[in-house]
Amino acid sequence: MNTERAIIIGGGIAGLLAAKVLSGFYKEVVIVDRDAFPQEPENRPGTPQAFQPHRLTPRSRLILNRLFPDFIDELIKNGAHPTRGKCAHLFNPYGCMAAVEQNHNATFSRALLEWAIRGYIRRTENVRLLDLNEVTQLQTSEDRSRITGIVIRERKSGDRKRFTMTADLIIDASGRFSKTVQWLSELGYEVPQPERLKIDLGYSTRRYRIPAGRKEALDMIRIEGDPLAAAHAGAFSIIENDIAEMVLWNLNGRYPSTEPALFEQEIRHSGNSLLNDALNGLEPIGQPRGFRLLELSRQHFEEMQHWPSGLLIMGDAFCQLDPVYGQGMTLAAIEAEILEACVRRQLNQPKPRFELDVLQRMQDCIEAAWWLNVVSDLRWKGVEYFGAKPIQGLAFAQNYFDHILKWSTENANHGISGLYWLINSLFLSPQQLFNADMVAAMTAAGGSGEAKRWLDRWIEESDRPLVERLSQTIPSFEGATFAALDQLMPSS
């Protein structure tokens, strides 16, 4: 395995994390992006979703703190809002729970997050940022079995000169604008059809200036969507430099307005007094900005019989998740750790089909995130799934998750609600909730016994023991990597 140069297509979160881990193995790492990299925290044209909220989950915070020491402190130093000790009010159709942040954490904009990571990368001697350059083509060996480089078109000069760059490894981290499927098809490779989830998602976000003396009294507020109601879901939080943001979202084409008066009216119509009180007296900054996403997709490159050596793919270019659940950056961070471990292992113990092994390991982790996305989004009328195989355990998981949310909220059980959150943020395996002992205990909980009767009927349908029925119904996720609860201890 040669390690002279690695090229990363795309300088977003996934590309920056890939550059960080590869810088420990390759003599030179080059990030190529069609946008200009701003010197200050600013959104780029290539990230149309950047104005919408972005957050770190416990898993992504754990990984980023390892890759970039003192990362949270760096964010706070540059204006991010420290959240340790702050309260988050979490509303769902069954009530509200309040949770206090125990860890050293912060809230911020996507622009600040990306700028801070890019700052670490700029200080890495063997990483070069090549902005305002667009990758137009892959270069290959004569038999097209290996990717040897890329063709680049300059975007700085008026004549847009083209040049080539060779590499030992090329990673496509260009997100939803990826051309890898097109490039592979042009080279004669048969690419499997992706799974797709038609969601027709709409976001609208507005920012507000916080008057002096108000910030300390403001908490984070999140209102979960209700599949049985037409009302928008929403969230309010402080981001940075005395600025707060409010986002509304909905599925199946029920877009929140981007017209200021209508946007504010939709917030008031939520009927959430805590949210209305928080926004009272804040000064709007500009108009609400919308973001629309018609569908999600999950590629299956790991199933290809032939894959060119020297090429990998990660981030949204591999699998695009519903941004509502905040899993995208977490999955990119997990993939970066997989990439790091696989390159290290390949250098120490070289094996054939290295790239397909990496793609399979990434896919094993994608499986959990995709399954959780599909199970949740298909609760909404009008959302449609397209795939070669049906989603495992769909109805059971939907009913069970709903019971857990209802019971933990009505009983203010922070242990179960916390477990539910850690699973949905990819910190723990779904099997932590879907093992037979937990399923039996959770469905027995509650005064009415309705959940227990539902479980008994479900078991009787197949005349199989609960352990066996669950193993046949719910994915095992055994190939995925997860964190451990002892890694969740409050950090300084």
Side-chain angles (χ1 to χ4, degrees):
M1 185 177 187
N2 296 324
T3 55
E4 284 297 307
R5 178 189 288 154
I7 294 175
I8 297 160
I9 306 172
I13 303 298
L16 293 170
L17 297 182
K20 171 59 180 176
V21 300
L22 292 180
S23 68
F25 304 105
Y26 284 78
K27 184 177 180 180
E28 182 185 29
V29 178
V30 182
I31 300 176
V32 183
D33 198 285
R34 67 192 314 274
D35 286 341
F37 291 128
Q39 297 301 310
E40 300 297 329
E42 298 173 1
N43 293 326
R44 300 181 290 112
T47 55
Q49 75 281 16
F51 190 79
Q52 313 306 321
H54 285 69
R55 295 291 176 267
L56 296 180
T57 65
R59 183 83 180 272
S60 59
R61 186 179 68 241
L62 187 71
I63 295 171
L64 287 178
N65 276 330
R66 181 182 71 81
L67 295 177
F68 308 110
D70 302 318
F71 181 70
I72 298 298
D73 289 329
E74 182 73 9
L75 289 172
I76 293 172
K77 184 178 73 174
N78 287 282
H81 178 60
T83 57
R84 172 176 267 175
K86 297 294 183 179
C87 187
H89 302 272
L90 310 173
F91 291 86
N92 64 58
Y94 303 109
C96 176
M97 294 189 72
V100 176
E101 175 63 74
Q102 302 294 329
N103 282 279
H104 184 46
N105 203 358
T107 48
F108 43 79
S109 66
R110 160 69 181 254
L112 178 60
L113 176 70
E114 190 175 291
W115 176 83
I117 297 175
R118 197 162 54 243
Y120 280 90
I121 297 300
R122 288 186 188 278
R123 296 189 291 272
T124 306
E125 291 185 0
N126 62 331
V127 178
R128 179 158 57 105
L129 299 173
L130 195 62
D131 59 355
L132 286 175
N133 282 275
E134 183 177 8
V135 178
T136 62
Q137 188 178 337
L138 298 176
Q139 284 192 311
T140 72
S141 59
E142 187 174 348
D143 63 359
R144 298 184 174 182
S145 66
R146 178 171 183 80
I147 305 301
T148 59
I150 55 175
V151 178
I152 302 172
R153 180 173 60 201
E154 290 184 349
R155 303 186 74 238
K156 295 180 182 178
S157 59
D159 55 2
R160 298 200 170 189
K161 296 179 180 178
R162 294 176 182 264
F163 63 99
T164 61
M165 182 180 292
T166 60
D168 300 302
L169 178 65
I170 293 168
I171 295 182
D172 180 6
S174 58
R176 69 194 65 207
F177 301 112
S178 169
K179 296 180 180 178
T180 288
V181 172
Q182 173 190 331
W183 290 334
L184 289 174
S185 298
E186 291 172 351
L187 291 171
Y189 288 89
E190 294 185 13
V191 181
Q193 287 296 312
E195 292 179 71
R196 297 183 296 116
L197 188 68
K198 181 181 174 295
I199 60 172
D200 206 0
L201 169 71
Y203 270 76
S204 292
T205 298
R206 196 176 199 185
R207 291 182 177 172
Y208 303 80
R209 199 171 311 281
I210 304 171
R214 283 287 310 276
K215 187 164 69 172
E216 290 305 312
L218 295 175
D219 291 331
M220 176 182 166
I221 302 167
R222 182 177 174 98
I223 304 171
E224 295 293 343
D226 184 351
L228 302 180
H232 301 317
F236 169 85
S237 67
I238 300 171
I239 46 174
E240 66 225 33
N241 300 322
D242 297 325
I243 294 174
E245 66 183 4
M246 176 69 211
V247 59
L248 296 174
W249 69 86
N250 214 327
L251 297 174
N252 200 28
R254 295 186 290 268
Y255 301 146
S257 179
T258 55
E259 197 282 318
L262 289 176
F263 180 80
E264 300 297 333
Q265 181 178 315
E266 288 173 341
I267 295 173
R268 290 193 298 272
H269 283 176
S270 72
N272 191 297
S273 59
L274 191 64
L275 178 59
N276 288 321
D277 289 346
L279 287 168
N280 185 35
L282 303 192
E283 176 190 349
I285 304 173
Q287 295 189 344
R289 297 191 194 178
F291 174 68
R292 309 294 182 246
L293 182 61
L294 179 61
E295 68 176 28
L296 313 177
S297 64
R298 176 193 181 189
Q299 300 288 348
H300 282 281
F301 300 118
E302 80 289 347
E303 294 179 354
M304 292 172 59
Q305 291 186 352
H306 302 286
W307 177 268
S309 59
L311 177 67
L312 287 172
I313 189 164
M314 60 185 288
D316 281 3
F318 202 161
C319 180
Q320 190 174 4
L321 300 172
D322 187 336
V324 164
Y325 307 114
Q327 299 168 334
M329 291 194 302
T330 302
L331 187 56
I334 294 170
E335 290 172 344
E337 284 202 323
I338 291 170
L339 176 65
E340 180 182 36
C342 288
V343 171
R344 180 180 292 113
R345 183 168 53 248
Q346 185 68 6
L347 289 172
N348 292 330
Q349 297 176 321
K351 293 182 178 180
R353 297 172 63 86
F354 161 73
E355 291 81 3
L356 281 173
D357 178 61
V358 178
L359 293 173
Q360 181 62 65
R361 291 174 186 272
M362 289 183 179
Q363 187 66 266
D364 289 341
C365 291
I366 288 171
E367 181 189 20
W370 180 257
W371 185 79
L372 290 165
N373 270 230
V374 176
V375 165
S376 182
D377 281 351
L378 281 175
R379 296 176 300 152
W380 268 263
K381 184 179 179 180
V383 174
E384 296 179 88
Y385 170 75
F386 303 91
K389 301 177 182 178
I391 297 299
Q392 281 186 265
L394 176 63
F396 179 86
Q398 288 175 333
N399 285 321
Y400 183 53
F401 274 138
D402 186 66
H403 171 69
I404 287 171
L405 184 64
K406 182 176 188 290
W407 184 85
S408 62
T409 302
E410 292 178 347
N411 291 275
N413 190 305
H414 289 271
I416 295 300
S417 66
L419 184 60
Y420 178 85
W421 158 240
L422 290 174
I423 286 169
N424 278 282
S425 59
L426 310 181
F427 195 91
L428 297 175
S429 169
Q431 284 295 328
Q432 295 286 331
L433 273 176
F434 283 89
N435 66 79
D437 290 342
M438 180 62 80
V439 169
M442 285 305 308
T443 52
S448 69
E450 180 182 347
K452 179 63 167 59
R453 289 191 293 273
W454 161 75
L455 178 65
D456 289 341
R457 289 195 300 271
W458 181 76
I459 297 173
E460 290 170 1
E461 288 174 1
S462 71
D463 195 30
R464 298 286 183 182
L466 178 58
V467 172
E468 186 175 342
R469 187 82 198 274
L470 286 171
S471 68
Q472 294 173 344
T473 304
I474 304 300
S476 68
F477 309 108
E478 59 185 2
T481 59
F482 295 98
L485 281 175
D486 59 5
Q487 295 175 279
L488 199 62
M489 297 299 291
S491 55
S492 59

